Amino acid sequence: QQQVKQSPQSLIVQKGGIPIINCAYENTAFDYFPWYQQFPGKGPALLIAIRPDVSEKKEGRFTISFNKSAKQFSLHIMDSQPGDSATYFCAAVGTGANNLFFGTGTRLTVIP
Amino acid sequence: DTEVTQTPKHLVMGMTNKKSLKCEQHMGHRAMYWYKQKAKKPPELMFVYSYEKLSINESVPSRFSPECPNSSLLNLHLHALQPEDSALYLCASSQNPAKVNTEAFFGQGTRLTVV
């Protein structure tokens, strides 16, 4: 059973556009939601993370929006660049747990 | 230093070979992980070490044998693998497994091909 559902599977935007990736979860024990960026042949790199006590977090061009009641969260990339082309994974983990539950991934392509 | 170092970067092995993957971190993290990632799929958890003790084994076949010699090192011993075990093997670490979760840092991975 997929603990974290992610959409879309792939996304193509023009340079400067704002891609949005959405994730949803069911387990209310999750209390930490990181996003990872992965380039081909490399390991995932932590981009930004949020806890459910805030509704939005910004770091540079990356913003997470969090809707606790709907059990949904999303990643927005402002002023997207070709260098942002990568696969993005949302994830979730519960207090004291040691397992990151990953979403299925979104392959983002930013066209120059 | 926020780096998790994995060696080798690439490994090709036969089905009768024995090999080991190595992972090292010097961030003082006390939780270390092995993940397996197939192409176009998310990472899947294999093992978790918490304070150098194996705390989670996600029903991984015995041909994969983890070892944590000390708080900075994590090994994955491989024996009699199958071609379907070919994947990117990722090591990760995080700060304190007993407290509220903090970020996990991933290594660059070892690309394993079983022939």
PDB file of all heavy atoms in Angstrom, chain B residues 11-47:
ATOM      1  N   LEU B  11      29.576  -1.028  -9.354  1.00  0.00           N
ATOM      2  CA  LEU B  11      30.039  -2.382  -9.069  1.00  0.00           C
ATOM      3  C   LEU B  11      29.330  -3.351 -10.004  1.00  0.00           C
ATOM      4  O   LEU B  11      28.099  -3.325 -10.118  1.00  0.00           O
ATOM      5  CB  LEU B  11      29.748  -2.746  -7.617  1.00  0.00           C
ATOM      6  CG  LEU B  11      30.134  -4.157  -7.163  1.00  0.00           C
ATOM      7  CD1 LEU B  11      31.641  -4.348  -7.271  1.00  0.00           C
ATOM      8  CD2 LEU B  11      29.671  -4.405  -5.719  1.00  0.00           C
ATOM      9  N   VAL B  12      30.132  -4.174 -10.670  1.00  0.00           N
ATOM     10  CA  VAL B  12      29.582  -5.258 -11.484  1.00  0.00           C
ATOM     11  C   VAL B  12      30.046  -6.560 -10.844  1.00  0.00           C
ATOM     12  O   VAL B  12      31.236  -6.730 -10.587  1.00  0.00           O
ATOM     13  CB  VAL B  12      30.075  -5.176 -12.949  1.00  0.00           C
ATOM     14  CG1 VAL B  12      29.515  -6.336 -13.759  1.00  0.00           C
ATOM     15  CG2 VAL B  12      29.676  -3.838 -13.571  1.00  0.00           C
ATOM     16  N   MET B  13      29.120  -7.445 -10.569  1.00  0.00           N
ATOM     17  CA  MET B  13      29.490  -8.703  -9.930  1.00  0.00           C
ATOM     18  C   MET B  13      28.712  -9.867 -10.519  1.00  0.00           C
ATOM     19  O   MET B  13      27.561  -9.695 -10.981  1.00  0.00           O
ATOM     20  CB  MET B  13      29.301  -8.638  -8.416  1.00  0.00           C
ATOM     21  CG  MET B  13      27.888  -8.385  -7.951  1.00  0.00           C
ATOM     22  SD  MET B  13      27.774  -8.188  -6.155  1.00  0.00           S
ATOM     23  CE  MET B  13      28.113  -9.852  -5.585  1.00  0.00           C
ATOM     24  N   GLY B  14      29.358 -11.020 -10.501  1.00  0.00           N
ATOM     25  CA  GLY B  14      28.698 -12.236 -10.941  1.00  0.00           C
ATOM     26  C   GLY B  14      27.836 -12.813  -9.835  1.00  0.00           C
ATOM     27  O   GLY B  14      27.946 -12.428  -8.667  1.00  0.00           O
ATOM     28  N   MET B  15      26.990 -13.727 -10.199  1.00  0.00           N
ATOM     29  CA  MET B  15      26.036 -14.287  -9.237  1.00  0.00           C
ATOM     30  C   MET B  15      26.705 -15.143  -8.168  1.00  0.00           C
ATOM     31  O   MET B  15      26.106 -15.404  -7.123  1.00  0.00           O
ATOM     32  CB  MET B  15      24.953 -15.079  -9.971  1.00  0.00           C
ATOM     33  CG  MET B  15      23.997 -14.196 -10.762  1.00  0.00           C
ATOM     34  SD  MET B  15      22.601 -15.093 -11.428  1.00  0.00           S
ATOM     35  CE  MET B  15      23.372 -15.891 -12.823  1.00  0.00           C
ATOM     36  N   THR B  16      27.951 -15.539  -8.394  1.00  0.00           N
ATOM     37  CA  THR B  16      28.640 -16.352  -7.378  1.00  0.00           C
ATOM     38  C   THR B  16      29.623 -15.529  -6.542  1.00  0.00           C
ATOM     39  O   THR B  16      30.257 -16.050  -5.632  1.00  0.00           O
ATOM     40  CB  THR B  16      29.379 -17.516  -8.031  1.00  0.00           C
ATOM     41  OG1 THR B  16      30.320 -16.978  -8.973  1.00  0.00           O
ATOM     42  CG2 THR B  16      28.416 -18.443  -8.753  1.00  0.00           C
ATOM     43  N   ASN B  17      29.736 -14.254  -6.866  1.00  0.00           N
ATOM     44  CA  ASN B  17      30.713 -13.405  -6.169  1.00  0.00           C
ATOM     45  C   ASN B  17      30.245 -13.011  -4.772  1.00  0.00           C
ATOM     46  O   ASN B  17      29.045 -13.034  -4.471  1.00  0.00           O
ATOM     47  CB  ASN B  17      30.969 -12.119  -6.964  1.00  0.00           C
ATOM     48  CG  ASN B  17      31.712 -12.364  -8.256  1.00  0.00           C
ATOM     49  OD1 ASN B  17      31.644 -11.549  -9.170  1.00  0.00           O
ATOM     50  ND2 ASN B  17      32.420 -13.472  -8.364  1.00  0.00           N
ATOM     51  N   LYS B  18      31.232 -12.606  -3.964  1.00  0.00           N
ATOM     52  CA  LYS B  18      30.947 -11.921  -2.694  1.00  0.00           C
ATOM     53  C   LYS B  18      31.582 -10.545  -2.763  1.00  0.00           C
ATOM     54  O   LYS B  18      32.762 -10.423  -3.071  1.00  0.00           O
ATOM     55  CB  LYS B  18      31.565 -12.684  -1.518  1.00  0.00           C
ATOM     56  CG  LYS B  18      30.868 -13.962  -1.135  1.00  0.00           C
ATOM     57  CD  LYS B  18      31.539 -14.548   0.097  1.00  0.00           C
ATOM     58  CE  LYS B  18      30.873 -15.854   0.512  1.00  0.00           C
ATOM     59  NZ  LYS B  18      31.498 -16.432   1.723  1.00  0.00           N
ATOM     60  N   LYS B  19      30.809  -9.525  -2.467  1.00  0.00           N
ATOM     61  CA  LYS B  19      31.310  -8.159  -2.475  1.00  0.00           C
ATOM     62  C   LYS B  19      30.689  -7.393  -1.309  1.00  0.00           C
ATOM     63  O   LYS B  19      29.712  -7.849  -0.704  1.00  0.00           O
ATOM     64  CB  LYS B  19      30.946  -7.448  -3.785  1.00  0.00           C
ATOM     65  CG  LYS B  19      31.570  -8.051  -5.031  1.00  0.00           C
ATOM     66  CD  LYS B  19      33.049  -7.734  -5.128  1.00  0.00           C
ATOM     67  CE  LYS B  19      33.619  -8.258  -6.446  1.00  0.00           C
ATOM     68  NZ  LYS B  19      35.083  -8.029  -6.536  1.00  0.00           N
ATOM     69  N   SER B  20      31.247  -6.212  -1.033  1.00  0.00           N
ATOM     70  CA  SER B  20      30.697  -5.373   0.033  1.00  0.00           C
ATOM     71  C   SER B  20      30.567  -3.935  -0.434  1.00  0.00           C
ATOM     72  O   SER B  20      31.433  -3.429  -1.156  1.00  0.00           O
ATOM     73  CB  SER B  20      31.600  -5.411   1.269  1.00  0.00           C
ATOM     74  OG  SER B  20      31.647  -6.704   1.822  1.00  0.00           O
ATOM     75  N   LEU B  21      29.496  -3.301  -0.011  1.00  0.00           N
ATOM     76  CA  LEU B  21      29.310  -1.865  -0.199  1.00  0.00           C
ATOM     77  C   LEU B  21      29.637  -1.176   1.119  1.00  0.00           C
ATOM     78  O   LEU B  21      29.307  -1.693   2.188  1.00  0.00           O
ATOM     79  CB  LEU B  21      27.868  -1.546  -0.605  1.00  0.00           C
ATOM     80  CG  LEU B  21      27.273  -2.340  -1.760  1.00  0.00           C
ATOM     81  CD1 LEU B  21      25.881  -1.802  -2.094  1.00  0.00           C
ATOM     82  CD2 LEU B  21      28.177  -2.332  -2.967  1.00  0.00           C
ATOM     83  N   LYS B  22      30.264   0.014   1.002  1.00  0.00           N
ATOM     84  CA  LYS B  22      30.648   0.729   2.216  1.00  0.00           C
ATOM     85  C   LYS B  22      30.026   2.111   2.249  1.00  0.00           C
ATOM     86  O   LYS B  22      29.815   2.748   1.214  1.00  0.00           O
ATOM     87  CB  LYS B  22      32.174   0.836   2.286  1.00  0.00           C
ATOM     88  CG  LYS B  22      32.864  -0.509   2.408  1.00  0.00           C
ATOM     89  CD  LYS B  22      34.351  -0.357   2.592  1.00  0.00           C
ATOM     90  CE  LYS B  22      35.044  -1.724   2.586  1.00  0.00           C
ATOM     91  NZ  LYS B  22      34.529  -2.656   3.604  1.00  0.00           N
ATOM     92  N   CYS B  23      29.756   2.557   3.473  1.00  0.00           N
ATOM     93  CA  CYS B  23      29.147   3.869   3.693  1.00  0.00           C
ATOM     94  C   CYS B  23      29.794   4.493   4.918  1.00  0.00           C
ATOM     95  O   CYS B  23      30.020   3.804   5.928  1.00  0.00           O
ATOM     96  CB  CYS B  23      27.646   3.712   3.896  1.00  0.00           C
ATOM     97  SG  CYS B  23      26.788   5.234   4.340  1.00  0.00           S
ATOM     98  N   GLU B  24      30.062   5.791   4.844  1.00  0.00           N
ATOM     99  CA  GLU B  24      30.715   6.473   5.961  1.00  0.00           C
ATOM    100  C   GLU B  24      30.123   7.862   6.138  1.00  0.00           C
ATOM    101  O   GLU B  24      29.842   8.562   5.157  1.00  0.00           O
ATOM    102  CB  GLU B  24      32.223   6.582   5.664  1.00  0.00           C
ATOM    103  CG  GLU B  24      33.068   7.047   6.816  1.00  0.00           C
ATOM    104  CD  GLU B  24      34.560   6.854   6.552  1.00  0.00           C
ATOM    105  OE1 GLU B  24      34.921   6.384   5.466  1.00  0.00           O
ATOM    106  OE2 GLU B  24      35.351   7.171   7.445  1.00  0.00           O
ATOM    107  N   GLN B  25      29.905   8.258   7.392  1.00  0.00           N
ATOM    108  CA  GLN B  25      29.456   9.625   7.697  1.00  0.00           C
ATOM    109  C   GLN B  25      30.167  10.092   8.960  1.00  0.00           C
ATOM    110  O   GLN B  25      30.421   9.282   9.859  1.00  0.00           O
ATOM    111  CB  GLN B  25      27.927   9.710   7.836  1.00  0.00           C
ATOM    112  CG  GLN B  25      27.317   8.804   8.896  1.00  0.00           C
ATOM    113  CD  GLN B  25      27.239   9.389  10.287  1.00  0.00           C
ATOM    114  OE1 GLN B  25      27.432  10.596  10.495  1.00  0.00           O
ATOM    115  NE2 GLN B  25      26.942   8.538  11.261  1.00  0.00           N
ATOM    116  N   HIS B  26      30.468  11.392   9.007  1.00  0.00           N
ATOM    117  CA  HIS B  26      31.151  11.970  10.159  1.00  0.00           C
ATOM    118  C   HIS B  26      30.359  13.139  10.722  1.00  0.00           C
ATOM    119  O   HIS B  26      30.935  14.141  11.157  1.00  0.00           O
ATOM    120  CB  HIS B  26      32.576  12.386   9.761  1.00  0.00           C
ATOM    121  CG  HIS B  26      33.437  11.231   9.365  1.00  0.00           C
ATOM    122  ND1 HIS B  26      33.917  10.335  10.285  1.00  0.00           N
ATOM    123  CD2 HIS B  26      33.875  10.814   8.151  1.00  0.00           C
ATOM    124  CE1 HIS B  26      34.632   9.410   9.646  1.00  0.00           C
ATOM    125  NE2 HIS B  26      34.612   9.673   8.358  1.00  0.00           N
ATOM    126  N   MET B  27      29.024  12.996  10.696  1.00  0.00           N
ATOM    127  CA  MET B  27      28.150  14.037  11.211  1.00  0.00           C
ATOM    128  C   MET B  27      27.675  13.723  12.625  1.00  0.00           C
ATOM    129  O   MET B  27      26.857  14.454  13.181  1.00  0.00           O
ATOM    130  CB  MET B  27      26.944  14.193  10.274  1.00  0.00           C
ATOM    131  CG  MET B  27      27.335  14.699   8.903  1.00  0.00           C
ATOM    132  SD  MET B  27      25.939  14.827   7.776  1.00  0.00           S
ATOM    133  CE  MET B  27      25.788  13.131   7.222  1.00  0.00           C
ATOM    134  N   GLY B  28      28.135  12.605  13.179  1.00  0.00           N
ATOM    135  CA  GLY B  28      27.683  12.216  14.510  1.00  0.00           C
ATOM    136  C   GLY B  28      26.278  11.641  14.517  1.00  0.00           C
ATOM    137  O   GLY B  28      25.657  11.524  15.578  1.00  0.00           O
ATOM    138  N   HIS B  29      25.779  11.298  13.345  1.00  0.00           N
ATOM    139  CA  HIS B  29      24.437  10.714  13.264  1.00  0.00           C
ATOM    140  C   HIS B  29      24.434   9.306  13.847  1.00  0.00           C
ATOM    141  O   HIS B  29      25.371   8.528  13.654  1.00  0.00           O
ATOM    142  CB  HIS B  29      23.971  10.669  11.809  1.00  0.00           C
ATOM    143  CG  HIS B  29      23.659  12.017  11.256  1.00  0.00           C
ATOM    144  ND1 HIS B  29      23.286  12.215   9.948  1.00  0.00           N
ATOM    145  CD2 HIS B  29      23.638  13.244  11.835  1.00  0.00           C
ATOM    146  CE1 HIS B  29      23.049  13.497   9.745  1.00  0.00           C
ATOM    147  NE2 HIS B  29      23.268  14.150  10.885  1.00  0.00           N
ATOM    148  N   ARG B  30      23.345   8.962  14.540  1.00  0.00           N
ATOM    149  CA  ARG B  30      23.281   7.653  15.194  1.00  0.00           C
ATOM    150  C   ARG B  30      22.270   6.718  14.540  1.00  0.00           C
ATOM    151  O   ARG B  30      22.039   5.617  15.043  1.00  0.00           O
ATOM    152  CB  ARG B  30      22.981   7.821  16.680  1.00  0.00           C
ATOM    153  CG  ARG B  30      23.989   8.676  17.413  1.00  0.00           C
ATOM    154  CD  ARG B  30      25.432   8.256  17.182  1.00  0.00           C
ATOM    155  NE  ARG B  30      25.717   6.929  17.683  1.00  0.00           N
ATOM    156  CZ  ARG B  30      26.089   6.679  18.947  1.00  0.00           C
ATOM    157  NH1 ARG B  30      26.196   7.668  19.795  1.00  0.00           N
ATOM    158  NH2 ARG B  30      26.341   5.441  19.337  1.00  0.00           N
ATOM    159  N   ALA B  31      21.656   7.141  13.464  1.00  0.00           N
ATOM    160  CA  ALA B  31      20.795   6.259  12.672  1.00  0.00           C
ATOM    161  C   ALA B  31      21.366   6.190  11.266  1.00  0.00           C
ATOM    162  O   ALA B  31      21.681   7.224  10.673  1.00  0.00           O
ATOM    163  CB  ALA B  31      19.361   6.778  12.634  1.00  0.00           C
ATOM    164  N   MET B  32      21.519   4.967  10.762  1.00  0.00           N
ATOM    165  CA  MET B  32      22.023   4.793   9.409  1.00  0.00           C
ATOM    166  C   MET B  32      21.153   3.776   8.689  1.00  0.00           C
ATOM    167  O   MET B  32      20.607   2.860   9.302  1.00  0.00           O
ATOM    168  CB  MET B  32      23.493   4.351   9.416  1.00  0.00           C
ATOM    169  CG  MET B  32      24.415   5.428   9.997  1.00  0.00           C
ATOM    170  SD  MET B  32      26.163   5.035   9.888  1.00  0.00           S
ATOM    171  CE  MET B  32      26.490   5.331   8.136  1.00  0.00           C
ATOM    172  N   TYR B  33      21.025   3.973   7.377  1.00  0.00           N
ATOM    173  CA  TYR B  33      20.021   3.243   6.600  1.00  0.00           C
ATOM    174  C   TYR B  33      20.618   2.717   5.291  1.00  0.00           C
ATOM    175  O   TYR B  33      21.492   3.357   4.705  1.00  0.00           O
ATOM    176  CB  TYR B  33      18.870   4.178   6.195  1.00  0.00           C
ATOM    177  CG  TYR B  33      18.315   5.053   7.297  1.00  0.00           C
ATOM    178  CD1 TYR B  33      18.974   6.202   7.707  1.00  0.00           C
ATOM    179  CD2 TYR B  33      17.098   4.747   7.905  1.00  0.00           C
ATOM    180  CE1 TYR B  33      18.457   7.013   8.706  1.00  0.00           C
ATOM    181  CE2 TYR B  33      16.568   5.550   8.894  1.00  0.00           C
ATOM    182  CZ  TYR B  33      17.255   6.683   9.285  1.00  0.00           C
ATOM    183  OH  TYR B  33      16.727   7.490  10.269  1.00  0.00           O
ATOM    184  N   TRP B  34      20.090   1.596   4.848  1.00  0.00           N
ATOM    185  CA  TRP B  34      20.307   1.147   3.478  1.00  0.00           C
ATOM    186  C   TRP B  34      18.966   1.165   2.751  1.00  0.00           C
ATOM    187  O   TRP B  34      17.964   0.647   3.258  1.00  0.00           O
ATOM    188  CB  TRP B  34      20.875  -0.270   3.413  1.00  0.00           C
ATOM    189  CG  TRP B  34      22.335  -0.384   3.689  1.00  0.00           C
ATOM    190  CD1 TRP B  34      22.946  -0.996   4.736  1.00  0.00           C
ATOM    191  CD2 TRP B  34      23.399   0.125   2.865  1.00  0.00           C
ATOM    192  NE1 TRP B  34      24.300  -0.897   4.646  1.00  0.00           N
ATOM    193  CE2 TRP B  34      24.616  -0.218   3.495  1.00  0.00           C
ATOM    194  CE3 TRP B  34      23.453   0.827   1.648  1.00  0.00           C
ATOM    195  CZ2 TRP B  34      25.861   0.124   2.980  1.00  0.00           C
ATOM    196  CZ3 TRP B  34      24.689   1.179   1.144  1.00  0.00           C
ATOM    197  CH2 TRP B  34      25.880   0.819   1.793  1.00  0.00           C
ATOM    198  N   TYR B  35      18.985   1.782   1.557  1.00  0.00           N
ATOM    199  CA  TYR B  35      17.833   1.790   0.669  1.00  0.00           C
ATOM    200  C   TYR B  35      18.237   1.178  -0.666  1.00  0.00           C
ATOM    201  O   TYR B  35      19.385   1.275  -1.093  1.00  0.00           O
ATOM    202  CB  TYR B  35      17.347   3.218   0.389  1.00  0.00           C
ATOM    203  CG  TYR B  35      16.535   3.861   1.488  1.00  0.00           C
ATOM    204  CD1 TYR B  35      17.154   4.484   2.569  1.00  0.00           C
ATOM    205  CD2 TYR B  35      15.151   3.874   1.436  1.00  0.00           C
ATOM    206  CE1 TYR B  35      16.407   5.089   3.570  1.00  0.00           C
ATOM    207  CE2 TYR B  35      14.388   4.484   2.426  1.00  0.00           C
ATOM    208  CZ  TYR B  35      15.034   5.087   3.486  1.00  0.00           C
ATOM    209  OH  TYR B  35      14.290   5.697   4.466  1.00  0.00           O
ATOM    210  N   LYS B  36      17.260   0.602  -1.338  1.00  0.00           N
ATOM    211  CA  LYS B  36      17.435   0.087  -2.695  1.00  0.00           C
ATOM    212  C   LYS B  36      16.523   0.884  -3.616  1.00  0.00           C
ATOM    213  O   LYS B  36      15.349   1.117  -3.292  1.00  0.00           O
ATOM    214  CB  LYS B  36      17.047  -1.389  -2.743  1.00  0.00           C
ATOM    215  CG  LYS B  36      17.034  -2.015  -4.128  1.00  0.00           C
ATOM    216  CD  LYS B  36      16.572  -3.466  -4.043  1.00  0.00           C
ATOM    217  CE  LYS B  36      16.465  -4.115  -5.399  1.00  0.00           C
ATOM    218  NZ  LYS B  36      16.032  -5.536  -5.290  1.00  0.00           N
ATOM    219  N   GLN B  37      17.065   1.312  -4.755  1.00  0.00           N
ATOM    220  CA  GLN B  37      16.252   2.084  -5.690  1.00  0.00           C
ATOM    221  C   GLN B  37      16.379   1.518  -7.103  1.00  0.00           C
ATOM    222  O   GLN B  37      17.466   1.515  -7.670  1.00  0.00           O
ATOM    223  CB  GLN B  37      16.643   3.563  -5.680  1.00  0.00           C
ATOM    224  CG  GLN B  37      15.717   4.431  -6.504  1.00  0.00           C
ATOM    225  CD  GLN B  37      16.064   5.914  -6.442  1.00  0.00           C
ATOM    226  OE1 GLN B  37      17.217   6.280  -6.224  1.00  0.00           O
ATOM    227  NE2 GLN B  37      15.068   6.767  -6.662  1.00  0.00           N
ATOM    228  N   LYS B  38      15.257   1.070  -7.635  1.00  0.00           N
ATOM    229  CA  LYS B  38      15.210   0.633  -9.022  1.00  0.00           C
ATOM    230  C   LYS B  38      14.901   1.857  -9.888  1.00  0.00           C
ATOM    231  O   LYS B  38      14.386   2.880  -9.408  1.00  0.00           O
ATOM    232  CB  LYS B  38      14.129  -0.436  -9.199  1.00  0.00           C
ATOM    233  CG  LYS B  38      14.327  -1.673  -8.350  1.00  0.00           C
ATOM    234  CD  LYS B  38      15.412  -2.566  -8.862  1.00  0.00           C
ATOM    235  CE  LYS B  38      14.892  -3.563  -9.853  1.00  0.00           C
ATOM    236  NZ  LYS B  38      15.946  -4.528 -10.277  1.00  0.00           N
ATOM    237  N   ALA B  39      15.195   1.715 -11.195  1.00  0.00           N
ATOM    238  CA  ALA B  39      15.019   2.836 -12.120  1.00  0.00           C
ATOM    239  C   ALA B  39      13.580   3.362 -12.095  1.00  0.00           C
ATOM    240  O   ALA B  39      12.626   2.593 -12.136  1.00  0.00           O
ATOM    241  CB  ALA B  39      15.400   2.412 -13.527  1.00  0.00           C
ATOM    242  N   LYS B  40      13.452   4.672 -12.016  1.00  0.00           N
ATOM    243  CA  LYS B  40      12.171   5.376 -12.069  1.00  0.00           C
ATOM    244  C   LYS B  40      11.244   5.016 -10.919  1.00  0.00           C
ATOM    245  O   LYS B  40      10.023   5.150 -11.022  1.00  0.00           O
ATOM    246  CB  LYS B  40      11.464   5.128 -13.407  1.00  0.00           C
ATOM    247  CG  LYS B  40      12.266   5.613 -14.606  1.00  0.00           C
ATOM    248  CD  LYS B  40      11.492   5.451 -15.901  1.00  0.00           C
ATOM    249  CE  LYS B  40      12.306   5.947 -17.079  1.00  0.00           C
ATOM    250  NZ  LYS B  40      11.594   5.805 -18.359  1.00  0.00           N
ATOM    251  N   LYS B  41      11.814   4.541  -9.824  1.00  0.00           N
ATOM    252  CA  LYS B  41      11.035   4.192  -8.634  1.00  0.00           C
ATOM    253  C   LYS B  41      11.588   4.937  -7.429  1.00  0.00           C
ATOM    254  O   LYS B  41      12.736   5.381  -7.436  1.00  0.00           O
ATOM    255  CB  LYS B  41      11.112   2.682  -8.364  1.00  0.00           C
ATOM    256  CG  LYS B  41      10.509   1.827  -9.465  1.00  0.00           C
ATOM    257  CD  LYS B  41       9.014   1.967  -9.503  1.00  0.00           C
ATOM    258  CE  LYS B  41       8.416   1.002 -10.503  1.00  0.00           C
ATOM    259  NZ  LYS B  41       6.945   1.164 -10.625  1.00  0.00           N
ATOM    260  N   PRO B  42      10.789   5.083  -6.369  1.00  0.00           N
ATOM    261  CA  PRO B  42      11.336   5.707  -5.157  1.00  0.00           C
ATOM    262  C   PRO B  42      12.244   4.741  -4.405  1.00  0.00           C
ATOM    263  O   PRO B  42      12.158   3.523  -4.611  1.00  0.00           O
ATOM    264  CB  PRO B  42      10.075   6.014  -4.331  1.00  0.00           C
ATOM    265  CG  PRO B  42       9.064   5.032  -4.805  1.00  0.00           C
ATOM    266  CD  PRO B  42       9.348   4.793  -6.253  1.00  0.00           C
ATOM    267  N   PRO B  43      13.090   5.261  -3.538  1.00  0.00           N
ATOM    268  CA  PRO B  43      13.917   4.385  -2.701  1.00  0.00           C
ATOM    269  C   PRO B  43      13.040   3.514  -1.794  1.00  0.00           C
ATOM    270  O   PRO B  43      12.021   3.965  -1.286  1.00  0.00           O
ATOM    271  CB  PRO B  43      14.749   5.364  -1.873  1.00  0.00           C
ATOM    272  CG  PRO B  43      14.733   6.642  -2.644  1.00  0.00           C
ATOM    273  CD  PRO B  43      13.399   6.688  -3.312  1.00  0.00           C
ATOM    274  N   GLU B  44      13.474   2.283  -1.595  1.00  0.00           N
ATOM    275  CA  GLU B  44      12.778   1.351  -0.704  1.00  0.00           C
ATOM    276  C   GLU B  44      13.709   0.999   0.449  1.00  0.00           C
ATOM    277  O   GLU B  44      14.862   0.611   0.232  1.00  0.00           O
ATOM    278  CB  GLU B  44      12.413   0.064  -1.443  1.00  0.00           C
ATOM    279  CG  GLU B  44      11.440   0.241  -2.580  1.00  0.00           C
ATOM    280  CD  GLU B  44      11.205  -1.066  -3.327  1.00  0.00           C
ATOM    281  OE1 GLU B  44      11.619  -2.137  -2.816  1.00  0.00           O
ATOM    282  OE2 GLU B  44      10.612  -1.028  -4.418  1.00  0.00           O
ATOM    283  N   LEU B  45      13.198   1.105   1.651  1.00  0.00           N
ATOM    284  CA  LEU B  45      14.012   0.827   2.832  1.00  0.00           C
ATOM    285  C   LEU B  45      14.362  -0.654   2.909  1.00  0.00           C
ATOM    286  O   LEU B  45      13.506  -1.523   2.700  1.00  0.00           O
ATOM    287  CB  LEU B  45      13.246   1.242   4.091  1.00  0.00           C
ATOM    288  CG  LEU B  45      13.994   1.082   5.399  1.00  0.00           C
ATOM    289  CD1 LEU B  45      15.173   2.053   5.477  1.00  0.00           C
ATOM    290  CD2 LEU B  45      13.058   1.275   6.586  1.00  0.00           C
ATOM    291  N   MET B  46      15.647  -0.910   3.227  1.00  0.00           N
ATOM    292  CA  MET B  46      16.089  -2.291   3.444  1.00  0.00           C
ATOM    293  C   MET B  46      16.378  -2.516   4.931  1.00  0.00           C
ATOM    294  O   MET B  46      15.829  -3.421   5.547  1.00  0.00           O
ATOM    295  CB  MET B  46      17.344  -2.571   2.635  1.00  0.00           C
ATOM    296  CG  MET B  46      17.199  -2.421   1.137  1.00  0.00           C
ATOM    297  SD  MET B  46      18.778  -2.626   0.292  1.00  0.00           S
ATOM    298  CE  MET B  46      19.052  -4.388   0.465  1.00  0.00           C
ATOM    299  N   PHE B  47      17.278  -1.708   5.489  1.00  0.00           N
ATOM    300  CA  PHE B  47      17.724  -1.894   6.873  1.00  0.00           C
ATOM    301  C   PHE B  47      17.874  -0.531   7.558  1.00  0.00           C
ATOM    302  O   PHE B  47      18.193   0.457   6.920  1.00  0.00           O
ATOM    303  CB  PHE B  47      19.093  -2.585   6.931  1.00  0.00           C
ATOM    304  CG  PHE B  47      19.165  -3.921   6.254  1.00  0.00           C
ATOM    305  CD1 PHE B  47      19.773  -4.050   5.014  1.00  0.00           C
ATOM    306  CD2 PHE B  47      18.646  -5.053   6.872  1.00  0.00           C
ATOM    307  CE1 PHE B  47      19.854  -5.285   4.389  1.00  0.00           C
ATOM    308  CE2 PHE B  47      18.716  -6.292   6.248  1.00  0.00           C
ATOM    309  CZ  PHE B  47      19.323  -6.402   5.004  1.00  0.00           C
TER     310      PHE B  47
END
